[in-house]
Amino acid sequence: MPLRLLPPPRRAAAPLLTPTVPHLARLLLSHAPSTPPLLLALLPSCPALITPLLSHLLLSHSPPLPALTLYRRLLALPHFPAPEPSLPVLLRLLARSRRYAHLSFPLLESLPPTHPHLLSTPALAVLLSTALSASAPGASFDAAVTCFDSAARVWARAGRAFGADELNALLRAFCARGRVAEARALFHRYCDKYPPDTRTFNTLLLGFKEAGHSQALDLFYHDAVLRGFVPDAVSYCVRMDAYCKKGRFGDALELLDEMRTRENCKPTLHVFTTLIYGAGIVRDAARARLLFDEMEKWGVTLDRGAHNALMGAYVRARDLKSALAVMDKMERKGIGLDDVSYNTMLCGFQRVGDLEGIWKVYSKMVGSGFMPRTRTTMLLMKVFCENARPDLGLELWDYLMGKGCVPHRHALDILVTGLCCRGAVSEAYRCFREIIDMGMLPTERAFTILEGFLRRAREYGKIEEIRLIMKVAQLEGHQIKEETV
């Protein structure tokens, strides 16, 4: 009987590893304007990655068109479960670019009928903000009202409710720009059609506070109470914040005493955090610490924001040792540090000229793998380059690029200037090329500075190369815009 050879044993298939968000961002930008097939194959099975990916592109100042193309192709897939928070992030990405801001509302109207859940209040808020920003000052009011009324019709066609939450988004869009009088006029215009709630009055209170009209805030508050408005913890918090920003910390503490006497309006986490910030404004770090300790007595759970507020109070009082102790305590508790934490400490050390302290905080940030926001990146880049350490600025640049984060164009201006002044023209040229390869167009300032130093070094070939690259990038930008429209 002939022997039968057994088939060779099959190797176990290696588990598919889900790429990280920075890797997906680099993949998307490097293939712009086309969408890599890998993303179209991966994201439908991992829809939870959509929002983090778009958020990463937003924070890294990436061009919006690759993200828009990807999102439209994903929505065209049958049974694709698009996450609700993804659309507001994409709309913010479009709104930040004047070239593509006009595509925001057409995107909303073109949503498939299978995705009515994407019509959310946060998405409407971004659209209203875009209408106010993209229009001329004299026409922005009518543009926002038109956008609001058009959105109401889109919501109605999709069978979505449109009421007080959407009215609050409209009022908030105006109040955020200090246009409280127009917000109040819109309140009277729509209050019968969309009955207001407590948040509506709090939105207007917040508008007066942000505009710095503390007296008008008090008048509106007392008038609203006479009309039956029952203030809640948010109402008190808004008034406290208004007083604190005017240096009236004592008046804010009186409101806290008033809250303590009420049964259904106990002090909340935001109330205490606001007062701790207020204590920092008047540089009363001791009072900030007492308020911080009192939170536990009221059963309030201390979060990252409260710790950041206490840290900021110590920084304002120039007590950086205690501020660092708060930062260390946050790490021991596992609370985690955010951009506010790092930026607060970096600003404190910058204010006293302690470069060693800045280096320690920067090393902690990089060691933890944290990706800073633009303001922190700009602060660090300025400190490094203004103190004759552009090599550290280059290290920060490489760190961000390795994370898939495209630094802001003004960060490139600072870095190119610092590197060229220290003789590292080739490194400046590399950074200039990298930001173009990621789909962004450098500023004329960076181009002019780099061109001048390359001319001194007689690198005429590189000069012609970057001139050609800048010209091609500008032409591609215009061509992409025309094709999209």
Side-chain angles (χ1 to χ4, degrees), residues 153-171:
R153 291 190 289 270
V154 173
W155 259 246
R157 287 198 301 267
R160 301 281 290 178
F162 201 88
D165 290 340
E166 287 69 28
L167 173 61
N168 296 339
L170 175 64
L171 300 181

Side-chain angles (χ1 to χ4, degrees), residues 42-103:
L42 172 67
L43 292 177
S45 60
C46 301
L49 289 173
I50 299 294
T51 305
L53 174 59
L54 294 174
S55 300
H56 184 94
L57 296 172
L58 177 67
L59 294 177
S60 61
H61 291 270
S62 301
L65 199 60
L68 177 61
T69 304
L70 171 65
Y71 199 77
R72 281 176 168 169
R73 295 192 65 179
L74 289 174
L75 290 182
L77 298 176
H79 310 296
F80 175 69
E84 180 181 318
S86 61
L87 182 60
V89 180
L90 177 59
L91 292 174
R92 287 177 60 194
L93 189 60
L94 291 170
R96 192 179 56 196
S97 172
R98 294 182 180 179
R99 181 182 297 178
Y100 303 111
H102 66 284
L103 300 176

Side-chain angles (χ1 to χ4, degrees), residues 346 350 354-363 365-366 372 376-397 399-400 411 414-415 417-419 422:
L346 290 170
Q350 183 190 34
D354 188 348
L355 298 180
E356 183 179 352
I358 291 177
W359 171 251
K360 288 181 179 178
V361 176
Y362 167 70
S363 301
M365 182 187 73
V366 174
T376 304
T377 300
M378 293 294 296
L379 184 151
L380 287 168
M381 199 67 77
K382 286 181 179 179
V383 169
F384 292 154
C385 294
E386 289 176 359
N387 288 276
R389 292 302 305 271
D391 56 315
L392 297 179
L394 182 60
E395 178 184 311
L396 174 61
W397 177 275
Y399 171 76
L400 294 173
I414 298 171
L415 181 59
T417 304
L419 289 172
R422 301 293 290 183

Side-chain angles (χ1 to χ4, degrees), residues 97-136:
S97 172
R98 294 182 180 179
R99 181 182 297 178
Y100 303 111
H102 66 284
L103 300 176
S104 298
F105 201 86
L107 171 63
L108 192 78
E109 291 182 310
S110 64
L111 290 176
T114 55
H115 296 78
H117 65 284
L118 294 177
L119 300 176
S120 62
T121 305
L124 175 63
V126 180
L127 287 173
L128 293 170
S129 178
T130 304
L132 287 173
S133 302
S135 305

Side-chain angles (χ1 to χ4, degrees), residues 174-310:
F174 278 88
C175 289
R177 288 161 175 76
R179 300 166 64 170
V180 192
E182 292 170 297
R184 184 163 47 185
L186 289 171
F187 167 75
H188 292 297
R189 178 174 180 171
Y190 288 109
C191 63
D192 292 334
K193 188 174 183 180
Y194 308 112
D197 55 11
T198 302
R199 184 173 293 180
T200 308
F201 291 99
N202 286 336
T203 299
L204 291 172
L205 286 175
L206 184 63
F208 285 114
K209 188 264 293 185
E210 293 295 336
H213 303 325
S214 57
Q215 293 181 347
L217 183 148
D218 286 335
L219 290 174
F220 177 80
Y221 172 81
H222 292 297
D223 180 66
V225 170
L226 291 175
R227 294 174 181 270
F229 167 62
V230 179
D232 58 4
V234 176
S235 312
Y236 277 98
C237 189
V238 171
R239 296 178 65 199
M240 289 175 182
D241 194 24
Y243 293 155
C244 288
K245 289 181 177 178
K246 291 292 184 180
R248 298 165 55 185
F249 184 61
D251 294 337
L253 288 178
E254 289 181 4
L255 291 180
L256 177 63
D257 295 335
E258 181 180 329
M259 289 189 72
R260 289 184 178 125
T261 61
R262 298 189 59 180
E263 294 183 1
N264 299 323
C265 192
K266 300 301 180 183
T268 63
L269 171 66
H270 294 291
V271 167
F272 280 109
T273 303
T274 299
L275 289 174
I276 293 172
Y277 273 117
I281 291 175
V282 297
R283 299 186 179 182
D284 190 349
R287 186 69 186 191
R289 184 74 207 194
L290 290 175
L291 289 166
F292 185 84
D293 295 336
E294 186 181 354
M295 295 172 70
E296 294 184 354
K297 300 177 183 178
W298 285 87
V300 177
T301 303
L302 302 174
D303 70 343
R304 183 185 299 148
H307 285 82
N308 285 339
L310 180 61

